Amino acid sequence: MALIVDIEKKIGEFHLHTSFQVETGEIFGLLGESGCGKSMTLKCIAGIETPDRGKIILNGRILFDSEKKINLIPQKRNVGYLFQDYALFPNMTVEQNIRIVLQKGDRIQDYLEQFYLSGLENHYPSMLSGGQKQRCALARMMAAKPELLLFDEPFSALDKSLKWNLELQILELLDQMNKPVIFVTHNKDEIDHLCEKVGILSKGQMKESGTKEEIFAHPRTAAAAKLTGCENVFLIKDRGYTHVGIPREAVFVTDTASGADIIGQVERIFLEKGEYILVIRMKRKLFYYHCQMNASDPEFSVGDTIYLCIDKEKIWYLNE
């Protein structure tokens, strides 16, 4: 294993306990909502924060071990970290920010071109847009050639077209570098595009991990189901499981109340990514139904009664 992480850290009432492994050349995605401990995990690996207990091992080197009392300073860990706030040197130009970590024999122009920074060489961070700052920080991190790469929401400040270009560029660079990578995000699509494996972090706890195909196709926990895009997750009492998840492919419309599993009124209708999302009121709960714009489903309006059937074989039975 290139990277082994098994750490705990308490801050007030918050308790981070996460354990995972990343292979060389593997991009591991940490998926979770804001405040779940994703950034704290990266800071512990980079040496910015110190865990209370556990170990962090990179390519056989112990970066942290609470029992052996080993805790390398960040400068000795050789870990590249792309911060959410970019952490550029404000008194240095774009070129100077990158050149400060440039390896012998590397050309500054290569990094300027790869990260769409040509023409901005003499600009200071205060003169850059959020996306330009982020690209400069990416170029600086890559130029340092670290053993491990940590990405903390790297595309949050970018527009869609530039985001796609940078995703492709980063994938090419990562293929060439063949390093372990941890990619933190709350966006399932970014995991889909970039990562082979994913860990679901919720309220400081690693709920489950595996290949993205395994996690997205059949999550085992309520947290994973919600983060993979399932809106219909319901608490169930006195069963061998705590929740059920009803993925969108398990739901279809029927014409009458006879045999319907769900009867409700259409409360709102949203149009998103080429499909209609119907928000259906079922007494005290809401249910979300997705249908394609060109589908054969009947048209609905706000206030209409709708009857839905659920394919029981496609329901997810979930734990907390």
Side-chain angles (χ1 to χ4, degrees):
M1 288 291 174
L3 177 68
I4 299 172
V5 177
D6 183 6
I7 56 173
E8 290 187 52
K9 183 174 180 64
K10 289 186 178 180
I11 302 177
E13 297 297 318
F14 181 78
H15 183 194
L16 174 68
H17 184 192
T18 183
S19 177
F20 58 91
Q21 299 179 348
V22 186
E23 301 277 3
T24 298
E26 184 176 271
I27 306 176
F28 182 84
L30 266 182
L31 182 62
E33 297 177 346
S34 297
C36 71
K38 303 188 303 294
S39 295
M40 179 60 67
T41 299
L42 296 193
K43 289 176 180 178
C44 287
I45 295 170
I48 300 167
E49 295 282 352
T50 301
D52 299 325
R53 186 208 66 79
K55 62 183 178 180
I56 303 169
I57 302 172
L58 176 61
N59 294 327
R61 287 193 305 124
I62 299 176
L63 306 186
F64 173 80
D65 191 313
S66 57
E67 292 185 358
K68 296 181 180 179
K69 301 188 184 303
I70 296 173
N71 186 22
L72 297 187
I73 61 173
Q75 293 84 348
K76 292 187 176 181
R77 296 195 179 200
N78 198 20
V79 171
Y81 191 158
L82 182 67
F83 293 87
Q84 285 182 317
D85 61 357
Y86 319 123
L88 297 173
F89 297 110
N91 59 336
M92 292 185 179
T93 64
V94 167
E95 179 174 335
Q96 290 169 337
N97 262 282
I98 300 171
R99 192 180 292 280
I100 196 171
V101 299
L102 209 61
Q103 303 292 304
K104 185 177 181 180
D106 285 351
R107 296 176 62 246
I108 183 68
Q109 195 60 37
D110 292 339
Y111 290 96
L112 293 171
E113 292 175 359
Q114 286 176 340
F115 290 91
Y116 311 98
L117 294 167
S118 296
L120 300 174
E121 297 92 328
N122 297 318
H123 285 56
Y124 289 92
S126 61
M127 303 165 65
L128 303 176
S129 68
Q132 290 168 341
K133 290 177 184 178
Q134 199 165 54
R135 299 201 305 277
C136 182
L138 276 168
R140 184 179 63 182
M141 182 178 71
M142 293 297 194
K145 298 181 179 178
E147 291 182 57
L148 168 68
L149 300 171
L150 307 177
F151 291 87
D152 195 350
E153 305 267 9
F155 304 121
S156 58
L158 304 180
D159 61 66
K160 190 172 182 179
S161 61
L162 187 54
K163 176 180 174 179
W164 275 85
N165 287 334
L166 264 181
E167 283 183 356
L168 292 172
Q169 185 66 54
I170 287 174
L171 280 174
E172 291 177 6
L173 288 169
L174 295 179
D175 285 342
Q176 296 170 12
M177 295 180 73
N178 195 35
K179 307 288 186 184
V181 178
I182 302 177
F183 186 94
V184 156
T185 183
H186 64 273
N187 188 318
K188 174 183 175 290
D189 291 340
E190 292 178 2
I191 297 287
D192 264 335
H193 298 163
L194 294 167
C195 303
E196 295 96 2
K197 291 186 178 179
V198 59
I200 303 296
L201 201 59
S202 178
K203 298 179 181 178
Q205 308 298 303
M206 184 70 81
K207 293 296 185 178
E208 56 183 296
S209 63
T211 67
K212 63 184 177 186
E213 291 81 11
E214 292 170 345
I215 301 296
F216 293 167
H218 200 140
R220 301 188 303 273
T221 64
K226 292 174 182 177
L227 287 168
T228 55
C230 181
E231 303 101 333
N232 298 310
V233 178
F234 302 103
L235 179 66
I236 300 293
K237 296 181 179 180
D238 302 324
R239 301 289 178 89
Y241 43 86
T242 62
H243 294 75
V244 294
I246 306 174
R248 61 189 64 178
E249 61 268 20
V251 186
F252 56 95
V253 170
T254 185
D255 294 330
T256 64
S258 178
D261 298 296
I262 293 174
I263 301 175
Q265 279 69 48
V266 179
E267 190 166 286
R268 290 183 181 274
I269 300 176
F270 297 104
L271 177 60
E272 183 178 296
K273 297 181 180 179
E275 66 178 6
Y276 291 112
I277 304 173
L278 277 58
V279 183
I280 300 164
R281 170 67 64 179
M282 310 181 302
K283 295 183 179 178
R284 297 181 181 179
K285 294 182 179 180
L286 295 178
F287 191 91
Y288 297 83
Y289 174 64
H290 293 250
C291 58
Q292 297 298 317
M293 291 177 63
N294 58 355
S296 58
D297 299 297
E299 295 184 358
F300 293 97
S301 300
V302 172
D304 287 351
T305 298
I306 187 170
Y307 308 108
L308 300 176
C309 290
I310 299 172
D311 186 340
K312 308 301 189 298
E313 294 184 357
K314 294 181 179 179
I315 290 177
W316 297 333
Y317 298 96
L318 310 164
N319 290 312
E320 186 64 48

